[in-house]
Amino acid sequence: PLSHRDRLVLRQQLVHQRVLAFQFIKGQNPDTTTRSHQSRITWVREQSSATTINVSLGFDRLASQLVPANDNLGPQISVGGLSTLGPNPDVPLDRAENMFRHAAQLRHAAGHHQWTAGYDLLRRYLNGYQDDSALGSISFQGDPLHDAITNMRLGAATKMFVSVGDTHRRFRNWDQSYYAGDKWQPVPTLTVTLALRYQPISVPTEANHLTVFPYRCDCNNVGPLAGIAWRLPGGFGVVRAGYGLVYDNIIQATYQQLRFNPPGNLKLVINNPYLPDPVGAYLSGPPSAQRNSLYILDPNLVAPYSNQYNFSWEPAPR
């Protein structure tokens, strides 16, 4: 408590976790280190018996590091008819996400109404390294002359995926929402809730302009909400019903795949690779024979949404 009208709420949470992965198959699962930090400070102001104001600041940091186990076998090796050997192609991974939050809310009661309005802003800083196939993956399949296991023993690989380049990125993005609503109780047995939320989805940026995002702001996300709770006469119980149009965000796992594209990074698709020097032999060949994997996002990409509704009747016990 700061005064008879003001309160300050503080919260701090730290988590440091390291997992040495159990291995069903030698070197297949990565070791993981996670460091999580959450801080909140909230000021609550009771302006009057009818009006309350909340203002909050927050900082979250989540750092994740995935590395192959010390006894890993190198690139991922896939042999037709056998279990996959080696770590997944998406390790190693080393990234940190910093999130700065700011929110404010006003509640005001007037007669049979309780009005609420506010906003929530989140600034994301996603920094770090993540690759799609830094260690590479090699597959051995059967052909008309040999089965897959024989081809593995001969070193006659069918295909190889491997990434070459720099995939360290510094993504920046905003999450934001603005809302207002009213809870109306015209009679003691009936409560009606109406609200509206606006949640524009902005386009992220990369601090060094290394990534171009093909889609535009999804700025028309308006979601209504309505609900009713009615205590029926004569001991027939309570009826509740509600509807909401709810929007999600375009998550980082979607747009950060663009870091794997040329010119900063090449994910090579090498058929019948020369295993002593697969990348050198491939890049020294004719450009017309070279193939890359591309990650392409739809220019019309928008946030997912869902229509959520419910109805329930709870008869009174007799």
Side-chain angles (χ1 to χ4, degrees), residues 32-315:
T32 305
T33 302
T34 303
R35 295 179 295 277
S36 173
H37 171 101
Q38 293 183 345
S39 300
R40 294 288 186 279
I41 178 170
T42 303
W43 170 52
V44 182
R45 168 76 174 179
E46 294 181 2
Q47 186 67 27
S48 67
S49 60
T51 304
T52 303
I53 302 172
N54 291 354
V55 179
S56 180
L57 295 174
F59 172 71
D60 294 354
R61 177 178 171 86
L62 178 61
S64 305
Q65 185 181 64
L66 280 71
V67 297
N70 290 331
D71 59 352
N72 78 89
L73 301 178
Q76 186 181 71
I77 300 173
S78 174
V79 182
L82 298 179
S83 298
T84 301
L85 302 175
N88 288 329
D90 57 355
V91 296
L93 179 153
D94 189 0
R95 66 186 181 193
E97 184 175 20
N98 298 323
M99 293 166 281
F100 298 88
R101 302 175 180 270
H102 175 51
Q105 185 183 85
L106 171 68
R107 290 183 180 271
H108 178 70
H112 298 291
H113 297 267
Q114 186 180 78
W115 300 94
T116 303
Y119 63 87
D120 193 347
L121 300 177
L122 171 63
R123 178 64 167 171
R124 295 181 182 271
Y125 293 77
L126 180 60
N127 305 318
Y129 168 89
Q130 180 176 349
D131 215 314
D132 186 32
S133 193
L135 299 179
S137 62
I138 304 171
S139 66
F140 296 87
Q141 302 297 329
D143 56 38
L145 298 178
H146 305 106
D147 56 54
I149 296 176
T150 300
N151 278 334
M152 179 191 68
R153 297 175 66 186
L154 295 173
T158 304
K159 184 174 292 188
M160 180 177 184
F161 294 91
V162 64
S163 292
V164 179
D166 180 15
T167 57
H168 186 279
R169 295 293 183 271
R170 298 192 296 161
F171 294 117
R172 307 289 184 259
N173 197 21
W174 283 99
D175 293 354
Q176 49 190 323
S177 63
Y178 310 87
Y179 58 90
D182 177 30
K183 185 166 71 173
W184 176 42
Q185 193 171 23
V187 294
T189 59
L190 177 64
T191 300
V192 179
T193 302
L194 297 172
L196 194 66
R197 176 182 292 267
Y198 176 53
Q199 188 175 340
I201 308 298
S202 62
V203 180
T205 60
E206 204 283 324
N208 296 320
H209 310 291
L210 297 176
T211 300
V212 177
F213 301 87
Y215 58 94
R216 297 175 296 175
C217 173
D218 185 11
C219 292
N220 60 349
N221 299 333
V222 178
L225 181 146
I228 184 174
W230 180 26
R231 186 174 296 278
L232 301 174
F236 282 95
V238 179
V239 170
R240 293 184 175 88
Y243 166 78
L245 176 59
V246 183
Y247 292 87
D248 199 354
N249 286 304
I250 298 175
I251 60 174
Q252 304 94 301
T254 297
Y255 64 73
Q256 71 172 354
Q257 295 180 88
L258 295 173
R259 72 168 83 208
F260 305 140
N261 284 341
N265 181 73
L266 298 176
K267 183 179 179 182
L268 306 179
V269 183
I270 307 175
N271 293 315
N272 304 314
Y274 174 66
L275 292 183
D277 184 16
V279 175
Y282 184 70
L283 294 179
S284 64
S288 59
Q290 297 176 7
R291 296 291 183 268
N292 302 323
S293 286
L294 297 177
Y295 292 82
I296 300 175
L297 298 184
D298 193 325
N300 299 316
L301 181 66
V302 295
Y305 64 90
S306 62
N307 291 281
Q308 301 181 11
Y309 46 88
N310 66 78
F311 174 83
S312 67
W313 173 40
E314 300 176 18

Side-chain angles (χ1 to χ4, degrees), residues 2-19:
L2 300 177
S3 69
H4 70 285
R5 292 183 180 273
D6 301 279
R7 289 182 293 117
L8 201 62
V9 182
L10 304 174
R11 182 166 68 87
Q12 172 77 12
Q13 177 177 314
L14 291 171
V15 175
H16 187 179
Q17 174 180 280
R18 187 176 182 214
V19 177

